[in-house]
Amino acid sequence: MRKRIKIVSVILLAVSLATSLLSGCTSETNTSSPSPNAGETPGANSNPIEISWGIHFAADGVVNDSEVQKWLEQKFNVKIKPVKVTDASIASGEIPDIFMLGDPSNVIAYQNQGVLMSIDQNMLMEKMPEYYADIEKKKELFQTVTVNNELWAIPMFIDLKPYDLGMLWRKDWLDQVGIQKVPETLDEFEEAVYAFAQKDPDGNGVKDTYGLTGTATSTWSSGFYSIFGAFGVEPTMWMERDGQIVNGSIMPETKEALAKLRKWYADGVIDPEFITDTQDSYRKKLYNNRIGVIEEQISKGALPESVTVKEMLALNPDAKMAFSKNPKGPGGDGSWDWGIKSNFLVIGSKVKDQPEKLEKLFEILRAQSSDEETINMTSLGVKGEQWDFAENGATSGATTFLPGFDKQEQRDQLGIRLFSFGNITTQAYRDKYSDPKLNEAVKTYSSAPRWTDALLFSVLPSDGKYKQELTSLMQKYFAQIISGEIPLTDFDTFVTEWKAKGGDELTKEANEMYQAQFKK
């Protein structure tokens, strides 16, 4: 076995824990029948309205005068200035007229800086009636971005979440160590990962494999989502217990999960590099025969054509893969889940004094949500040139990008995705363009809707004072407990410290918010 890497606390503290204000769930658009009035081109004699447009936050950078930009400009009689939105650009005063943010905390942070325009919900209902009919059914999302009774963003929603996490196994490794059944319970999971670490599953005669790794520096949680889920908790999430809101980081079940992980680490089952691993790095470890199972998004691992499965087989043609639910333990089964929340659309504060521009933005937004032509052009491109339906002759269902456009960077050069608003599409559009096989996989493997934050990740009044430090504190203690640097009993010290350093105040605020806005 490789020599264990000593985990030093300072590594944790050196890792940046603050989620970028512009990060969030990135999801393929797979979402209505076109609105007859959406996106009508104004009279040719009217002057184009200039719009500063924040491109999709997952895009690397601006591509000026792309094909999609020109198409939008002609269709809506506008002149677009595409901009890459960053904290630095916002701080310098470069506030786009419209852009997308990834999380309620992002929205509230910019609202506190005076960057955003409040949005009249009645206007939203009037100007985007098709989309509003869908989002109004999920009205709790409005609460996540409402401050002082004013709405500061247009929420997007997710119905079936392809990025929910399940388990992707090296089925050939299971076969090699004599395990015929893909593990379903935590006990079966434990048997398998021990065998991966101890029984030479790659057959090279060297003790150089581990069962699994985690993502200890994730800002969402602490990694090992499915293992904590098997004990009925998810660290950092606010969870409802007997009518009260408690934080998953400090619950007794969390200590039980840590005890299990600690034993696995001591027995050489967990890769000692878990402290610095990420989703990208642990995929590489799966490909490179170092570990035998990972937590993976359903869209990337559940189907034969899924990207991680294809990557694995390209590097290891003889490998066999199997996807499963998260292991079932004493607290059930589950993993991190964003719930119905997706990203948020916001409008720059200067637009409130420009009624013509505001009208134009809502014209575009209505088209982006309910006009099939506009949605397809901004998210897929031109049918028959950049994309087509996956099944020959189909007029609905799964779509596929054609050769030459199957990589995101190729599509970005045309502006595809850059001007897409993602999950602002109506349910009718999603139903037409979604992949039935993937939908079925999500229904089969997802632990939703049982697993999500009780407050839908809303921002508490004192989050800015305490949240980042408390997340860092949790990650430090958890990594040291799992690695054996400190005793398991120090979990109780962590709980005391967590409460004293703002946790009690946040818990009080979480309960007040839950009672006022989310209790059903």
Side-chain angles (χ1 to χ4, degrees), residues 423-468:
N423 287 308
I424 201 167
T425 49
T426 59
Q427 188 65 55
Y429 179 90
R430 302 178 196 211
D431 291 344
K432 179 175 180 178
Y433 282 86
S434 61
D435 181 348
K437 291 188 295 182
L438 181 56
N439 290 349
E440 192 59 36
V442 173
K443 292 174 184 176
T444 300
Y445 298 114
S446 173
S447 55
R450 295 178 288 114
W451 287 90
T452 192
D453 189 273
L455 308 178
L456 292 182
F457 306 97
S458 298
V459 179
L460 297 172
S462 299
D463 269 352
K465 290 169 58 179
Y466 304 123
K467 186 175 181 179
Q468 181 176 331

mmCIF file of all heavy atoms in Angstrom, residues 423-468:
data_model
loop_
_atom_site.group_PDB
_atom_site.id
_atom_site.type_symbol
_atom_site.label_atom_id
_atom_site.label_comp_id
_atom_site.label_asym_id
_atom_site.label_seq_id
_atom_site.Cartn_x
_atom_site.Cartn_y
_atom_site.Cartn_z
ATOM 1 N N ASN A 423 -32.814 26.679 -16.976
ATOM 2 C CA ASN A 423 -34.054 26.127 -16.442
ATOM 3 C C ASN A 423 -35.141 27.162 -16.195
ATOM 4 O O ASN A 423 -35.919 27.046 -15.255
ATOM 5 C CB ASN A 423 -33.754 25.349 -15.152
ATOM 6 C CG ASN A 423 -33.064 24.046 -15.447
ATOM 7 O OD1 ASN A 423 -33.516 23.254 -16.249
ATOM 8 N ND2 ASN A 423 -31.925 23.834 -14.810
ATOM 9 N N ILE A 424 -35.218 28.169 -17.066
ATOM 10 C CA ILE A 424 -36.355 29.085 -17.020
ATOM 11 C C ILE A 424 -37.420 28.633 -18.013
ATOM 12 O O ILE A 424 -38.415 29.304 -18.235
ATOM 13 C CB ILE A 424 -35.918 30.533 -17.302
ATOM 14 C CG1 ILE A 424 -36.963 31.500 -16.739
ATOM 15 C CG2 ILE A 424 -35.651 30.768 -18.780
ATOM 16 C CD1 ILE A 424 -36.516 32.928 -16.683
ATOM 17 N N THR A 425 -37.209 27.477 -18.600
ATOM 18 C CA THR A 425 -38.162 26.950 -19.568
ATOM 19 C C THR A 425 -39.382 26.344 -18.888
ATOM 20 O O THR A 425 -39.312 25.859 -17.758
ATOM 21 C CB THR A 425 -37.488 25.872 -20.437
ATOM 22 O OG1 THR A 425 -36.812 24.951 -19.569
ATOM 23 C CG2 THR A 425 -36.471 26.489 -21.381
ATOM 24 N N THR A 426 -40.493 26.341 -19.618
ATOM 25 C CA THR A 426 -41.740 25.819 -19.061
ATOM 26 C C THR A 426 -41.716 24.298 -18.988
ATOM 27 O O THR A 426 -40.924 23.628 -19.650
ATOM 28 C CB THR A 426 -42.941 26.247 -19.920
ATOM 29 O OG1 THR A 426 -42.747 25.744 -21.243
ATOM 30 C CG2 THR A 426 -43.093 27.755 -19.950
ATOM 31 N N GLN A 427 -42.638 23.769 -18.215
ATOM 32 C CA GLN A 427 -42.738 22.322 -18.067
ATOM 33 C C GLN A 427 -43.078 21.662 -19.400
ATOM 34 O O GLN A 427 -42.581 20.568 -19.713
ATOM 35 C CB GLN A 427 -43.791 21.975 -17.019
ATOM 36 C CG GLN A 427 -43.855 20.511 -16.654
ATOM 37 C CD GLN A 427 -42.584 20.040 -15.973
ATOM 38 O OE1 GLN A 427 -42.161 20.608 -14.984
ATOM 39 N NE2 GLN A 427 -41.967 19.001 -16.522
ATOM 40 N N ALA A 428 -43.907 22.309 -20.208
ATOM 41 C CA ALA A 428 -44.309 21.728 -21.495
ATOM 42 C C ALA A 428 -43.099 21.526 -22.406
ATOM 43 O O ALA A 428 -42.985 20.502 -23.089
ATOM 44 C CB ALA A 428 -45.346 22.621 -22.171
ATOM 45 N N TYR A 429 -42.189 22.507 -22.422
ATOM 46 C CA TYR A 429 -40.983 22.352 -23.227
ATOM 47 C C TYR A 429 -40.129 21.192 -22.701
ATOM 48 O O TYR A 429 -39.624 20.369 -23.467
ATOM 49 C CB TYR A 429 -40.174 23.645 -23.235
ATOM 50 C CG TYR A 429 -38.891 23.532 -24.036
ATOM 51 C CD1 TYR A 429 -38.860 23.841 -25.383
ATOM 52 C CD2 TYR A 429 -37.716 23.077 -23.437
ATOM 53 C CE1 TYR A 429 -37.693 23.708 -26.132
ATOM 54 C CE2 TYR A 429 -36.548 22.932 -24.170
ATOM 55 C CZ TYR A 429 -36.538 23.250 -25.513
ATOM 56 O OH TYR A 429 -35.383 23.093 -26.237
ATOM 57 N N ARG A 430 -39.965 21.141 -21.405
ATOM 58 C CA ARG A 430 -39.156 20.076 -20.799
ATOM 59 C C ARG A 430 -39.719 18.701 -21.144
ATOM 60 O O ARG A 430 -38.980 17.762 -21.436
ATOM 61 C CB ARG A 430 -39.087 20.253 -19.292
ATOM 62 C CG ARG A 430 -38.514 21.587 -18.860
ATOM 63 C CD ARG A 430 -38.519 21.717 -17.345
ATOM 64 N NE ARG A 430 -38.321 23.112 -16.947
ATOM 65 C CZ ARG A 430 -37.724 23.493 -15.836
ATOM 66 N NH1 ARG A 430 -37.260 22.582 -14.999
ATOM 67 N NH2 ARG A 430 -37.595 24.765 -15.548
ATOM 68 N N ASP A 431 -41.048 18.594 -21.077
ATOM 69 C CA ASP A 431 -41.677 17.315 -21.366
ATOM 70 C C ASP A 431 -41.397 16.876 -22.804
ATOM 71 O O ASP A 431 -41.221 15.684 -23.078
ATOM 72 C CB ASP A 431 -43.191 17.408 -21.146
ATOM 73 C CG ASP A 431 -43.559 17.553 -19.681
ATOM 74 O OD1 ASP A 431 -42.695 17.274 -18.817
ATOM 75 O OD2 ASP A 431 -44.704 17.962 -19.390
ATOM 76 N N LYS A 432 -41.331 17.839 -23.716
ATOM 77 C CA LYS A 432 -41.104 17.504 -25.122
ATOM 78 C C LYS A 432 -39.655 17.128 -25.394
ATOM 79 O O LYS A 432 -39.384 16.219 -26.189
ATOM 80 C CB LYS A 432 -41.510 18.675 -26.018
ATOM 81 C CG LYS A 432 -41.271 18.408 -27.499
ATOM 82 C CD LYS A 432 -41.798 19.519 -28.378
ATOM 83 C CE LYS A 432 -41.523 19.204 -29.862
ATOM 84 N NZ LYS A 432 -42.065 20.232 -30.773
ATOM 85 N N TYR A 433 -38.718 17.814 -24.737
ATOM 86 C CA TYR A 433 -37.310 17.661 -25.096
ATOM 87 C C TYR A 433 -36.491 16.823 -24.116
ATOM 88 O O TYR A 433 -35.292 16.685 -24.292
ATOM 89 C CB TYR A 433 -36.660 19.042 -25.244
ATOM 90 C CG TYR A 433 -37.020 19.702 -26.558
ATOM 91 C CD1 TYR A 433 -38.181 20.446 -26.686
ATOM 92 C CD2 TYR A 433 -36.213 19.554 -27.679
ATOM 93 C CE1 TYR A 433 -38.525 21.034 -27.890
ATOM 94 C CE2 TYR A 433 -36.544 20.141 -28.885
ATOM 95 C CZ TYR A 433 -37.707 20.880 -28.981
ATOM 96 O OH TYR A 433 -38.042 21.463 -30.181
ATOM 97 N N SER A 434 -37.095 16.281 -23.117
ATOM 98 C CA SER A 434 -36.325 15.488 -22.163
ATOM 99 C C SER A 434 -36.144 14.065 -22.665
ATOM 100 O O SER A 434 -36.882 13.581 -23.530
ATOM 101 C CB SER A 434 -36.994 15.485 -20.787
ATOM 102 O OG SER A 434 -38.285 14.910 -20.867
ATOM 103 N N ASP A 435 -35.150 13.402 -22.112
ATOM 104 C CA ASP A 435 -34.800 12.036 -22.492
ATOM 105 C C ASP A 435 -35.591 11.059 -21.618
ATOM 106 O O ASP A 435 -35.361 10.995 -20.408
ATOM 107 C CB ASP A 435 -33.295 11.839 -22.290
ATOM 108 C CG ASP A 435 -32.819 10.452 -22.679
ATOM 109 O OD1 ASP A 435 -33.665 9.560 -22.887
ATOM 110 O OD2 ASP A 435 -31.594 10.258 -22.771
ATOM 111 N N PRO A 436 -36.516 10.301 -22.185
ATOM 112 C CA PRO A 436 -37.327 9.391 -21.356
ATOM 113 C C PRO A 436 -36.471 8.399 -20.569
ATOM 114 O O PRO A 436 -36.786 8.076 -19.421
ATOM 115 C CB PRO A 436 -38.212 8.674 -22.383
ATOM 116 C CG PRO A 436 -38.251 9.585 -23.572
ATOM 117 C CD PRO A 436 -36.914 10.262 -23.602
ATOM 118 N N LYS A 437 -35.378 7.914 -21.174
ATOM 119 C CA LYS A 437 -34.521 6.948 -20.471
ATOM 120 C C LYS A 437 -33.842 7.608 -19.269
ATOM 121 O O LYS A 437 -33.739 7.002 -18.199
ATOM 122 C CB LYS A 437 -33.475 6.385 -21.426
ATOM 123 C CG LYS A 437 -34.031 5.483 -22.502
ATOM 124 C CD LYS A 437 -32.912 4.821 -23.288
ATOM 125 C CE LYS A 437 -32.097 5.842 -24.059
ATOM 126 N NZ LYS A 437 -31.024 5.211 -24.874
ATOM 127 N N LEU A 438 -33.385 8.846 -19.451
ATOM 128 C CA LEU A 438 -32.759 9.544 -18.337
ATOM 129 C C LEU A 438 -33.780 9.875 -17.262
ATOM 130 O O LEU A 438 -33.502 9.748 -16.061
ATOM 131 C CB LEU A 438 -32.071 10.820 -18.825
ATOM 132 C CG LEU A 438 -31.351 11.652 -17.765
ATOM 133 C CD1 LEU A 438 -30.312 10.833 -17.018
ATOM 134 C CD2 LEU A 438 -30.705 12.887 -18.396
ATOM 135 N N ASN A 439 -34.975 10.279 -17.679
ATOM 136 C CA ASN A 439 -36.036 10.551 -16.703
ATOM 137 C C ASN A 439 -36.310 9.316 -15.841
ATOM 138 O O ASN A 439 -36.474 9.417 -14.623
ATOM 139 C CB ASN A 439 -37.325 10.969 -17.418
ATOM 140 C CG ASN A 439 -37.228 12.339 -18.058
ATOM 141 O OD1 ASN A 439 -36.275 13.087 -17.805
ATOM 142 N ND2 ASN A 439 -38.194 12.674 -18.889
ATOM 143 N N GLU A 440 -36.341 8.167 -16.485
ATOM 144 C CA GLU A 440 -36.604 6.929 -15.746
ATOM 145 C C GLU A 440 -35.456 6.611 -14.802
ATOM 146 O O GLU A 440 -35.669 6.146 -13.680
ATOM 147 C CB GLU A 440 -36.827 5.781 -16.732
ATOM 148 C CG GLU A 440 -37.392 4.525 -16.084
ATOM 149 C CD GLU A 440 -38.731 4.750 -15.396
ATOM 150 O OE1 GLU A 440 -39.547 5.541 -15.913
ATOM 151 O OE2 GLU A 440 -38.947 4.141 -14.325
ATOM 152 N N ALA A 441 -34.224 6.895 -15.253
ATOM 153 C CA ALA A 441 -33.070 6.660 -14.388
ATOM 154 C C ALA A 441 -33.114 7.570 -13.164
ATOM 155 O O ALA A 441 -32.797 7.140 -12.053
ATOM 156 C CB ALA A 441 -31.781 6.887 -15.173
ATOM 157 N N VAL A 442 -33.491 8.827 -13.365
ATOM 158 C CA VAL A 442 -33.600 9.755 -12.237
ATOM 159 C C VAL A 442 -34.640 9.239 -11.243
ATOM 160 O O VAL A 442 -34.412 9.232 -10.022
ATOM 161 C CB VAL A 442 -33.949 11.172 -12.720
ATOM 162 C CG1 VAL A 442 -34.231 12.085 -11.531
ATOM 163 C CG2 VAL A 442 -32.818 11.750 -13.569
ATOM 164 N N LYS A 443 -35.766 8.805 -11.748
ATOM 165 C CA LYS A 443 -36.814 8.295 -10.869
ATOM 166 C C LYS A 443 -36.349 7.052 -10.116
ATOM 167 O O LYS A 443 -36.732 6.820 -8.968
ATOM 168 C CB LYS A 443 -38.068 7.969 -11.684
ATOM 169 C CG LYS A 443 -38.764 9.184 -12.272
ATOM 170 C CD LYS A 443 -39.912 8.770 -13.187
ATOM 171 C CE LYS A 443 -40.556 9.965 -13.852
ATOM 172 N NZ LYS A 443 -41.616 9.568 -14.818
ATOM 173 N N THR A 444 -35.504 6.267 -10.758
ATOM 174 C CA THR A 444 -35.028 5.022 -10.149
ATOM 175 C C THR A 444 -33.977 5.266 -9.079
ATOM 176 O O THR A 444 -34.026 4.660 -7.995
ATOM 177 C CB THR A 444 -34.431 4.099 -11.229
ATOM 178 O OG1 THR A 444 -35.450 3.792 -12.192
ATOM 179 C CG2 THR A 444 -33.891 2.816 -10.614
ATOM 180 N N TYR A 445 -33.034 6.153 -9.346
ATOM 181 C CA TYR A 445 -31.853 6.264 -8.491
ATOM 182 C C TYR A 445 -31.838 7.472 -7.564
ATOM 183 O O TYR A 445 -31.083 7.484 -6.591
ATOM 184 C CB TYR A 445 -30.594 6.295 -9.357
ATOM 185 C CG TYR A 445 -30.394 5.053 -10.177
ATOM 186 C CD1 TYR A 445 -30.466 5.083 -11.560
ATOM 187 C CD2 TYR A 445 -30.145 3.825 -9.557
ATOM 188 C CE1 TYR A 445 -30.290 3.933 -12.320
ATOM 189 C CE2 TYR A 445 -29.977 2.669 -10.308
ATOM 190 C CZ TYR A 445 -30.052 2.738 -11.692
ATOM 191 O OH TYR A 445 -29.881 1.594 -12.428
ATOM 192 N N SER A 446 -32.625 8.488 -7.838
ATOM 193 C CA SER A 446 -32.551 9.705 -7.030
ATOM 194 C C SER A 446 -33.172 9.492 -5.658
ATOM 195 O O SER A 446 -34.168 8.781 -5.506
ATOM 196 C CB SER A 446 -33.270 10.848 -7.743
ATOM 197 O OG SER A 446 -33.352 11.983 -6.906
ATOM 198 N N SER A 447 -32.600 10.143 -4.666
ATOM 199 C CA SER A 447 -33.156 10.120 -3.315
ATOM 200 C C SER A 447 -34.086 11.305 -3.083
ATOM 201 O O SER A 447 -34.617 11.473 -1.991
ATOM 202 C CB SER A 447 -32.031 10.135 -2.282
ATOM 203 O OG SER A 447 -31.171 11.243 -2.491
ATOM 204 N N ALA A 448 -34.255 12.162 -4.085
ATOM 205 C CA ALA A 448 -35.181 13.291 -3.986
ATOM 206 C C ALA A 448 -36.619 12.759 -3.972
ATOM 207 O O ALA A 448 -36.893 11.687 -4.503
ATOM 208 C CB ALA A 448 -34.977 14.229 -5.163
ATOM 209 N N PRO A 449 -37.574 13.498 -3.389
ATOM 210 C CA PRO A 449 -37.382 14.819 -2.775
ATOM 211 C C PRO A 449 -37.141 14.767 -1.267
ATOM 212 O O PRO A 449 -37.294 15.746 -0.575
ATOM 213 C CB PRO A 449 -38.739 15.492 -3.058
ATOM 214 C CG PRO A 449 -39.718 14.358 -2.957
ATOM 215 C CD PRO A 449 -39.005 13.137 -3.483
ATOM 216 N N ARG A 450 -36.745 13.590 -0.778
ATOM 217 C CA ARG A 450 -36.586 13.447 0.674
ATOM 218 C C ARG A 450 -35.379 14.194 1.192
ATOM 219 O O ARG A 450 -35.317 14.527 2.370
ATOM 220 C CB ARG A 450 -36.443 11.960 1.015
ATOM 221 C CG ARG A 450 -37.680 11.129 0.711
ATOM 222 C CD ARG A 450 -37.467 9.658 1.034
ATOM 223 N NE ARG A 450 -36.567 9.020 0.070
ATOM 224 C CZ ARG A 450 -35.364 8.561 0.387
ATOM 225 N NH1 ARG A 450 -34.911 8.667 1.608
ATOM 226 N NH2 ARG A 450 -34.607 7.979 -0.530
ATOM 227 N N TRP A 451 -34.388 14.450 0.332
ATOM 228 C CA TRP A 451 -33.123 14.987 0.792
ATOM 229 C C TRP A 451 -32.872 16.373 0.204
ATOM 230 O O TRP A 451 -32.415 16.496 -0.916
ATOM 231 C CB TRP A 451 -31.981 14.063 0.402
ATOM 232 C CG TRP A 451 -31.957 12.830 1.217
ATOM 233 C CD1 TRP A 451 -32.579 11.650 0.955
ATOM 234 C CD2 TRP A 451 -31.295 12.654 2.470
ATOM 235 N NE1 TRP A 451 -32.339 10.744 1.946
ATOM 236 C CE2 TRP A 451 -31.542 11.335 2.897
ATOM 237 C CE3 TRP A 451 -30.511 13.482 3.272
ATOM 238 C CZ2 TRP A 451 -31.039 10.825 4.080
ATOM 239 C CZ3 TRP A 451 -30.005 12.959 4.451
ATOM 240 C CH2 TRP A 451 -30.270 11.650 4.850
ATOM 241 N N THR A 452 -33.174 17.376 0.958
ATOM 242 C CA THR A 452 -32.759 18.715 0.562
ATOM 243 C C THR A 452 -32.828 19.604 1.793
ATOM 244 O O THR A 452 -33.297 19.196 2.856
ATOM 245 C CB THR A 452 -33.622 19.278 -0.580
ATOM 246 O OG1 THR A 452 -33.009 20.444 -1.121
ATOM 247 C CG2 THR A 452 -35.024 19.640 -0.090
ATOM 248 N N ASP A 453 -32.349 20.818 1.657
ATOM 249 C CA ASP A 453 -32.328 21.762 2.758
ATOM 250 C C ASP A 453 -33.748 22.210 3.086
ATOM 251 O O ASP A 453 -34.532 22.535 2.195
ATOM 252 C CB ASP A 453 -31.468 22.969 2.341
ATOM 253 C CG ASP A 453 -31.206 23.912 3.483
ATOM 254 O OD1 ASP A 453 -32.044 24.805 3.712
ATOM 255 O OD2 ASP A 453 -30.166 23.769 4.143
ATOM 256 N N ALA A 454 -34.078 22.223 4.365
ATOM 257 C CA ALA A 454 -35.437 22.580 4.790
ATOM 258 C C ALA A 454 -35.790 24.016 4.434
ATOM 259 O O ALA A 454 -36.970 24.364 4.343
ATOM 260 C CB ALA A 454 -35.581 22.367 6.296
ATOM 261 N N LEU A 455 -34.778 24.860 4.233
ATOM 262 C CA LEU A 455 -35.000 26.268 3.884
ATOM 263 C C LEU A 455 -34.679 26.525 2.422
ATOM 264 O O LEU A 455 -34.604 27.693 2.002
ATOM 265 C CB LEU A 455 -34.134 27.171 4.766
ATOM 266 C CG LEU A 455 -34.233 26.962 6.280
ATOM 267 C CD1 LEU A 455 -33.283 27.891 7.014
ATOM 268 C CD2 LEU A 455 -35.671 27.165 6.753
ATOM 269 N N LEU A 456 -34.489 25.459 1.641
ATOM 270 C CA LEU A 456 -34.130 25.583 0.221
ATOM 271 C C LEU A 456 -32.900 26.470 0.035
ATOM 272 O O LEU A 456 -32.821 27.255 -0.906
ATOM 273 C CB LEU A 456 -35.311 26.110 -0.597
ATOM 274 C CG LEU A 456 -36.513 25.166 -0.723
ATOM 275 C CD1 LEU A 456 -37.589 25.787 -1.592
ATOM 276 C CD2 LEU A 456 -36.093 23.811 -1.271
ATOM 277 N N PHE A 457 -31.964 26.363 0.967
ATOM 278 C CA PHE A 457 -30.683 27.071 0.880
ATOM 279 C C PHE A 457 -30.843 28.594 0.925
ATOM 280 O O PHE A 457 -30.020 29.334 0.388
ATOM 281 C CB PHE A 457 -29.910 26.645 -0.370
ATOM 282 C CG PHE A 457 -29.730 25.159 -0.472
ATOM 283 C CD1 PHE A 457 -30.596 24.388 -1.240
ATOM 284 C CD2 PHE A 457 -28.728 24.522 0.239
ATOM 285 C CE1 PHE A 457 -30.451 23.002 -1.310
ATOM 286 C CE2 PHE A 457 -28.567 23.136 0.169
ATOM 287 C CZ PHE A 457 -29.437 22.385 -0.603
ATOM 288 N N SER A 458 -31.899 29.048 1.574
ATOM 289 C CA SER A 458 -32.100 30.494 1.736
ATOM 290 C C SER A 458 -30.995 31.086 2.601
ATOM 291 O O SER A 458 -30.353 30.383 3.396
ATOM 292 C CB SER A 458 -33.457 30.768 2.385
ATOM 293 O OG SER A 458 -34.514 30.307 1.569
ATOM 294 N N VAL A 459 -30.808 32.384 2.467
ATOM 295 C CA VAL A 459 -29.773 33.083 3.224
ATOM 296 C C VAL A 459 -30.345 33.555 4.557
ATOM 297 O O VAL A 459 -31.369 34.244 4.593
ATOM 298 C CB VAL A 459 -29.237 34.285 2.430
ATOM 299 C CG1 VAL A 459 -28.175 35.024 3.229
ATOM 300 C CG2 VAL A 459 -28.667 33.823 1.099
ATOM 301 N N LEU A 460 -29.688 33.194 5.628
ATOM 302 C CA LEU A 460 -30.082 33.667 6.953
ATOM 303 C C LEU A 460 -29.449 35.035 7.213
ATOM 304 O O LEU A 460 -28.383 35.350 6.666
ATOM 305 C CB LEU A 460 -29.638 32.674 8.023
ATOM 306 C CG LEU A 460 -30.269 31.278 7.925
ATOM 307 C CD1 LEU A 460 -29.609 30.329 8.908
ATOM 308 C CD2 LEU A 460 -31.771 31.348 8.171
ATOM 309 N N PRO A 461 -30.074 35.845 8.061
ATOM 310 C CA PRO A 461 -29.546 37.196 8.308
ATOM 311 C C PRO A 461 -28.078 37.227 8.735
ATOM 312 O O PRO A 461 -27.345 38.146 8.373
ATOM 313 C CB PRO A 461 -30.459 37.734 9.416
ATOM 314 C CG PRO A 461 -31.747 36.994 9.217
ATOM 315 C CD PRO A 461 -31.361 35.630 8.753
ATOM 316 N N SER A 462 -27.644 36.221 9.481
ATOM 317 C CA SER A 462 -26.269 36.232 10.007
ATOM 318 C C SER A 462 -25.327 35.294 9.265
ATOM 319 O O SER A 462 -24.215 35.043 9.729
ATOM 320 C CB SER A 462 -26.284 35.870 11.505
ATOM 321 O OG SER A 462 -27.034 36.808 12.247
ATOM 322 N N ASP A 463 -25.756 34.778 8.113
ATOM 323 C CA ASP A 463 -24.876 33.895 7.342
ATOM 324 C C ASP A 463 -23.542 34.563 7.027
ATOM 325 O O ASP A 463 -22.483 33.929 7.092
ATOM 326 C CB ASP A 463 -25.556 33.476 6.028
ATOM 327 C CG ASP A 463 -26.346 32.186 6.164
ATOM 328 O OD1 ASP A 463 -26.251 31.527 7.220
ATOM 329 O OD2 ASP A 463 -27.059 31.829 5.208
ATOM 330 N N GLY A 464 -23.602 35.817 6.652
ATOM 331 C CA GLY A 464 -22.373 36.526 6.286
ATOM 332 C C GLY A 464 -21.371 36.581 7.422
ATOM 333 O O GLY A 464 -20.150 36.623 7.187
ATOM 334 N N LYS A 465 -21.849 36.587 8.649
ATOM 335 C CA LYS A 465 -20.966 36.671 9.812
ATOM 336 C C LYS A 465 -20.365 35.314 10.176
ATOM 337 O O LYS A 465 -19.223 35.247 10.642
ATOM 338 C CB LYS A 465 -21.744 37.215 11.017
ATOM 339 C CG LYS A 465 -22.142 38.685 10.909
ATOM 340 C CD LYS A 465 -23.140 39.069 12.000
ATOM 341 C CE LYS A 465 -22.614 38.832 13.407
ATOM 342 N NZ LYS A 465 -23.599 39.239 14.440
ATOM 343 N N TYR A 466 -21.135 34.251 9.966
ATOM 344 C CA TYR A 466 -20.741 32.982 10.565
ATOM 345 C C TYR A 466 -20.567 31.809 9.604
ATOM 346 O O TYR A 466 -19.794 30.891 9.898
ATOM 347 C CB TYR A 466 -21.789 32.560 11.599
ATOM 348 C CG TYR A 466 -22.055 33.564 12.684
ATOM 349 C CD1 TYR A 466 -23.343 34.067 12.901
ATOM 350 C CD2 TYR A 466 -21.020 34.010 13.506
ATOM 351 C CE1 TYR A 466 -23.596 34.986 13.913
ATOM 352 C CE2 TYR A 466 -21.264 34.928 14.521
ATOM 353 C CZ TYR A 466 -22.562 35.422 14.715
ATOM 354 O OH TYR A 466 -22.798 36.328 15.700
ATOM 355 N N LYS A 467 -21.277 31.790 8.492
ATOM 356 C CA LYS A 467 -21.393 30.556 7.710
ATOM 357 C C LYS A 467 -20.045 30.044 7.205
ATOM 358 O O LYS A 467 -19.731 28.854 7.322
ATOM 359 C CB LYS A 467 -22.354 30.763 6.537
ATOM 360 C CG LYS A 467 -22.638 29.474 5.770
ATOM 361 C CD LYS A 467 -23.693 29.697 4.705
ATOM 362 C CE LYS A 467 -23.995 28.404 3.958
ATOM 363 N NZ LYS A 467 -25.040 28.607 2.922
ATOM 364 N N GLN A 468 -19.238 30.914 6.638
ATOM 365 C CA GLN A 468 -17.974 30.465 6.075
ATOM 366 C C GLN A 468 -17.050 29.884 7.155
ATOM 367 O O GLN A 468 -16.444 28.831 6.968
ATOM 368 C CB GLN A 468 -17.268 31.620 5.352
ATOM 369 C CG GLN A 468 -15.951 31.203 4.707
ATOM 370 C CD GLN A 468 -15.318 32.328 3.906
ATOM 371 O OE1 GLN A 468 -16.004 33.198 3.384
ATOM 372 N NE2 GLN A 468 -13.998 32.312 3.804
#
